[in-house]
Amino acid sequence: RCSGEIFTRFKGLITSPNYPEHYAENSKCHYTIRIEQGFQIMLNFTSDFNIERDAFGQCTADVLKITSGQKEYGPFCGNRAPVIRDHLSNVVEIHFSTNGESEGTGWKIMYSSTAKQCPVEILEHNVLQPKNSDYDYKDSVRVRCESGYELYDNVRNQYIDSAMVHCQKDGTWNSSWYSCRPVDCGNPMALRNGKRNVTSTVYQFLNTYSCDEPYYKLEENAIFECAATADWVAVGTSDGTLPNCKPVCGRTAISDDTGRVFGGKPARLGYFPWQVRLRTYDGKVGGGALVSDGWILTAAHLFDGSRQTTVHGGIVNLQGLSPEKALPVEDAFLHPNYRPQADGSEPNFEHDVALVKLRARAKLGANLSPVCLPAAGETSPLRAGRLGYITGWGKTEVRDRPIFLQYAEVPVVGMDKCRGLDYRGKRPRFTDNMVCAGQPGTDSCQGDSGGPFVLRDLRHPSRHVVRGIVSFGPQQCGSYGVYTHVGRYLAWIVKTMREHGSWEDEETRA
Ligand code: 4AZ
């Protein structure tokens, strides 16, 4: 009489037979609660609970058991009401059996139900609309992704703006084919003379640029983050331009085996990596010094006959020079005040300085890298006695045209030493824009013109700075030579390089 009853309402009351009077002996009762799928049942025992225990206090005499899906509760007996906190499925079975002996007053269950709830997070990095503290069966919600992520439909293989999803009977969302994918910034821009270092190109990953050391050094900010906008954005600075790999100047591989050009000795590759050789269209040869990856500092007088010139760099040996190995030249800029014949027949080397612009930036390395320019304000006469290197393929004691680049160490001397020399009867002008250097037996000579006179940078002793340009001297070499005082022309050099310092297919930077 107590079996087979099925409860289908969303809430209700179930009691043992005769409750709250004593239940019958030798009975087997079975009740079922079965409500709509997608809902779950909660059971609540009232406190007046009384089921007979056996002689050992165990639940073998009269027994209450509850099952729901895979879950089993009980056996229950005694006089303390059990507590079941779980949400059970939409079907619950209640079994109550009694034996033949004395009995208790039984039990009373109030049951209720709620819709099955879906999780409040559907996808990682999702944004839900509406945003509720809980979602029930049959609830619908619009799914988007948070900033930096995009909603992807893995079935149709496409990005979509949003999707409507539903909380299903089983408490899950029908969202399994959607995901929030991080935006992809793609490969960051390549850096000239540098490298990208990126582990991933998606949202919030970093790219750190580095330069091809030791010939280039990083300037400015080098860390970029993949932003929500799918752009690489500079970290820590407001301006988003690419960093710059700046040529490192003044590096030399020379050891202390100094030679004593005229009185010099052959150089090895890398000793004077800034040294270049110029040959003008009318056959005049001379030297020059790379002062950046695109500019050569030289003497203006080399261009007296022709403005066209061929430049070779990164070499010490002139054998096997071919036009194909030349660094293509774009233009030559002479100092605007240079006048080779200022007053009639007397030679004039005042402002004997020129810049040659290469058609493309040179790739720097151990054999080709620039010398440093003087610092701003280094315009006073050089201190007599300071030693520097002169280099060139000019005339030596034994050969008019040596094959190997020659170098020698010479001191700066007072201008009186140069003034007193014989210039084949001519009287060139001497000014503060010139430096006199050399010593008996060691000198620059014909063919060295335009080449650099470099001094160690007193502040950075590993660096060499071009302080002079081989300009002129007596016909008879071997004593003293006159050099253009580079520090006096820094403003013109910097201005010229800046005004004409852009190359095609390079982005202009601020
Ligand atoms: C020249 O004719 C030349 N002794 C260069 C340097 C010196 C003399 C002549 C210095 O190119």
Side-chain angles (χ1 to χ4, degrees):
R1 210 178 43 73
C2 61
S3 276
E5 206 172 338
I6 299 178
F7 296 78
T8 57
R9 291 174 183 276
F10 283 106
K11 58 185 187 178
L13 215 100
I14 307 174
T15 62
S16 51
N18 292 333
Y19 183 89
E21 302 298 322
H22 290 259
Y23 49 76
E25 308 168 1
N26 290 321
S27 58
K28 274 202 185 323
C29 301
H30 174 221
Y31 311 85
T32 302
I33 311 170
R34 177 179 290 133
I35 58 173
E36 196 182 329
Q37 276 187 21
F39 290 81
Q40 44 194 195
I41 296 165
M42 282 98 72
L43 300 183
N44 213 338
F45 290 85
T46 57
S47 57
D48 47 348
F49 182 89
N50 181 247
I51 298 177
E52 187 198 5
R53 299 177 193 270
D54 66 17
F56 305 101
Q58 303 294 309
C59 298
T60 61
D62 299 341
V63 174
L64 176 67
K65 274 188 187 170
I66 291 165
T67 58
S68 177
Q70 304 296 319
K71 294 177 180 167
E72 273 193 41
Y73 303 88
F76 299 118
C77 63
N79 43 27
R80 187 170 299 150
V83 176
I84 299 177
R85 290 211 171 76
D86 294 351
H87 288 189
L88 308 181
S89 78
N90 66 314
V91 180
V92 172
E93 312 277 355
I94 300 168
H95 302 270
F96 182 53
S97 57
T98 62
N99 65 5
E101 298 183 14
S102 65
E103 62 275 350
T105 55
W107 46 267
K108 178 178 177 180
I109 295 171
M110 286 154 52
Y111 78 85
S112 59
S113 55
T114 62
K116 205 156 197 175
Q117 294 197 325
C118 281
V120 293
E121 186 181 68
I122 300 180
L123 311 171
E124 264 188 86
H125 308 293
N126 65 198
V127 174
L128 305 184
Q129 207 180 11
K131 171 112 194 85
N132 294 349
S133 54
D134 45 44
Y135 296 99
D136 295 330
Y137 171 50
K138 288 183 178 168
D139 278 351
S140 293
V141 57
R142 187 163 290 281
V143 183
R144 286 187 173 78
C145 296
E146 60 186 47
S147 170
Y149 295 84
E150 290 171 308
L151 190 60
Y152 191 74
D153 183 328
N154 292 288
V155 172
R156 294 203 203 108
N157 289 316
Q158 62 185 31
Y159 286 98
I160 52 177
D161 177 64
S162 71
M164 206 70 194
V165 298
H166 310 285
C167 179
Q168 305 173 116
K169 278 180 195 150
D170 63 352
T172 65
W173 298 97
N174 63 333
S175 62
S176 54
W177 54 87
Y178 298 118
S179 55
C180 285
R181 291 191 174 183
V183 301
D184 193 328
C185 288
N187 254 344
M189 292 243 277
L191 180 64
R192 189 159 33 87
N193 302 313
K195 280 184 261 310
R196 293 167 280 212
N197 180 1
V198 60
T199 46
S200 165
T201 62
V202 304
Y203 183 52
Q204 286 179 331
F205 274 80
L206 299 180
N207 173 40
T208 307
Y209 285 108
S210 59
C211 292
D212 299 340
E213 305 262 0
Y215 310 109
Y216 297 90
K217 198 170 164 54
L218 193 69
E219 245 192 1
E220 313 144 43
N221 175 69
I223 304 175
F224 286 73
E225 181 177 357
C226 179
T229 52
D231 297 310
W232 289 102
V233 172
V235 174
T237 58
S238 52
D239 104 79
T241 54
L242 278 189
N244 198 4
C245 288
K246 220 185 151 196
V248 172
C249 69
R251 281 175 47 88
T252 172
I254 196 167
S255 45
D256 273 340
D257 62 339
T258 57
R260 260 195 350 106
V261 210
F262 213 87
K265 58 196 256 181
R268 290 173 186 272
L269 278 171
Y271 278 14
F272 304 96
W274 45 81
Q275 177 79 37
V276 299
R277 192 243 193 190
L278 301 185
R279 185 186 194 93
T280 55
Y281 189 65
D282 61 348
K284 213 177 280 171
V285 294
L290 208 58
V291 290
S292 78
D293 56 359
W295 289 93
I296 287 153
L297 184 68
T298 187
H301 80 259
L302 287 173
F303 302 95
D304 285 352
S306 166
R307 294 284 277 265
Q308 276 188 54
T309 180
T310 312
V311 174
H312 282 90
I315 51 155
V316 290
N317 185 346
L318 291 185
Q319 261 170 349
L321 272 200
S322 63
E324 304 89 74
K325 290 186 198 156
L327 299 168
V329 169
E330 183 168 312
D331 208 352
F333 299 84
L334 310 196
H335 192 277
N337 298 337
Y338 170 70
R339 300 278 181 280
Q341 308 268 246
D343 30 67
S345 60
E346 295 297 349
N348 176 39
F349 290 93
E350 173 78 327
H351 314 304
D352 190 9
V353 53
L355 281 164
V356 171
K357 186 190 177 191
L358 298 181
R359 207 178 299 149
R361 292 181 187 273
K363 181 67 190 171
L364 305 177
N367 300 340
L368 188 68
S369 72
V371 71
C372 303
L373 285 167
E378 291 189 317
T379 53
S380 11
L382 299 187
R383 192 168 54 70
R386 281 198 68 188
L387 289 171
Y389 290 112
I390 49 173
T391 42
W393 287 276
K395 187 174 171 180
T396 69
E397 303 94 319
V398 289
R399 300 183 80 133
D400 275 0
R401 296 277 172 94
I403 291 165
F404 281 92
L405 177 66
Q406 303 289 308
Y407 73 101
E409 205 170 26
V410 293
V412 173
V413 297
M415 192 55 82
D416 52 305
K417 289 273 198 301
C418 278
R419 272 204 192 89
L421 297 173
D422 167 35
Y423 295 88
R424 282 218 205 159
K426 305 253 186 323
R427 292 184 294 111
R429 271 174 74 187
F430 295 93
T431 71
D432 287 347
N433 295 323
M434 299 170 187
V435 176
C436 183
Q439 65 191 14
T442 315
D443 193 9
S444 51
C445 201
Q446 285 84 29
D448 291 322
S449 280
F453 174 39
V454 301
L455 268 63
R456 204 175 273 283
D457 184 340
L458 295 176
R459 271 178 294 249
H460 306 272
S462 64
R463 295 204 313 211
H464 284 79
V465 182
V466 56
R467 301 299 303 269
I469 300 167
V470 180
S471 182
F472 70 101
Q475 171 81 5
Q476 189 66 47
C477 304
S479 55
Y480 304 102
V482 184
Y483 299 79
T484 308
H485 189 328
V486 176
R488 311 267 298 181
Y489 294 97
L490 187 71
W492 174 77
I493 292 168
V494 169
K495 177 168 169 275
T496 303
M497 286 171 52
R498 183 176 299 146
E499 276 175 10
H500 304 276
S502 64
W503 276 264
E504 272 172 45
D505 58 78
E506 273 181 19
E507 93 278 21
T508 43
R509 35 182 91 249

